[in-house]
Amino acid sequence: MDKNDAEFDAIIMFEQIRKVSEATYLKNPLDADNLIRWAGALMELAQFQNEDPKQFVQEAITKLEEALLIDPKKHAAMWCLGNAYTTLAFWTPEETEAKHIFDLAALLFQTAVDEQPDNETYQKSLVMTAKAPLLHAEIHRQGFGTQPLGGAGPSGPSRSKVVKSSELRYDVMGWVILAVGLVALVGYAKSSAPISAPR
């Protein structure tokens, strides 16, 4: 299986999760776990978008905020929302605005840690978010973050810079989205598990 086949399979899988979550939402709009799954699928799908991946991330943020309105202590939703804001911040070229978004992410990660202090993933996310503004500044200083998120790029000598920019974007996004996807998949697996009768 080559990279394109794997990407196609991932798109199909996350699109299916998105559709199932949307249908579940119509039946039960107060299911916070479903909203988290839905947001996770949107975050995963964002990495495959050429036109406007930010739109998918912003929609995921909306779903996660809705989940927190239903269950304000839902640490998984806080953590996923922190990841979504981190992703959005990396795609924000203006440093002051990105810093504000990173601060929101850090606040959410801290709240998730407060809710579940022994969770190492939450702790590591909090530590990494503190370093994120420096990474953001370096990415944009190098010119990797100045390329449009979609659309046609330059050709010729600057083409390699666009390719490196794309690869760096996928590297940064990949780790963030992988974490969100794993949470969504675990939640989906738990909700889909058959319930056995007590013995």
Side-chain angles (χ1 to χ4, degrees):
M1 178 181 284
D2 69 3
K3 181 181 174 186
N4 290 337
D5 288 342
E7 284 183 6
F8 181 74
D9 289 346
I11 291 169
I12 296 296
M13 180 180 71
F14 290 113
E15 183 60 29
Q16 181 63 29
I17 292 170
R18 185 196 64 76
K19 286 179 180 177
V20 168
S21 296
E22 189 173 357
T24 302
Y25 180 79
L26 292 175
K27 294 175 189 170
N28 183 7
L30 299 179
D31 183 347
D33 291 325
N34 180 60
L35 287 162
I36 295 169
R37 272 190 303 281
W38 192 351
L42 289 167
M43 291 292 294
E44 290 290 344
L45 290 168
Q47 70 179 319
F48 300 108
Q49 300 304 309
N50 290 327
E51 293 301 315
D52 191 10
K54 273 184 162 182
Q55 178 183 349
F56 279 75
V57 174
Q58 288 166 332
E59 188 177 347
I61 288 170
T62 301
K63 303 298 178 212
L64 293 164
E65 288 172 343
E66 188 174 344
L68 286 171
L69 286 174
I70 295 166
D71 186 352
K73 298 264 186 202
K74 193 90 173 160
H75 53 83
M78 292 175 206
W79 180 77
C80 290
L81 186 56
N83 278 322
Y85 276 126
T86 301
T87 300
L88 185 62
F90 274 110
W91 283 342
T92 302
E94 207 282 304
E95 198 169 328
T96 304
E97 184 181 351
K99 173 74 169 90
H100 173 71
I101 298 169
F102 282 128
D103 289 345
L104 286 172
L107 178 65
L108 288 157
F109 288 140
Q110 181 62 62
T111 307
V113 167
D114 293 345
E115 288 296 319
Q116 199 173 57
D118 295 333
N119 189 312
E120 290 181 21
T121 302
Y122 296 174
Q123 294 169 4
K124 287 178 184 176
S125 296
L126 182 60
V127 169
M128 294 306 294
T129 299
K131 299 174 184 178
L134 293 174
L135 179 59
H136 174 273
E138 183 62 23
I139 289 169
H140 288 273
R141 187 183 68 74
Q142 295 289 332
F144 294 127
T146 60
Q147 302 299 326
L149 291 174
S155 59
S158 63
R159 174 115 174 100
S160 65
K161 192 174 198 179
V162 173
V163 170
K164 286 181 184 176
S165 170
S166 178
E167 289 173 1
L168 181 62
R169 180 181 85 177
Y170 282 113
D171 286 346
V172 170
M173 282 295 302
W175 288 106
V176 171
I177 291 175
L178 175 65
V180 173
L182 289 174
V183 168
L185 286 174
V186 168
Y188 183 73
K190 285 181 181 177
S191 72
S192 298
I195 300 173
S196 58
R199 296 181 185 210

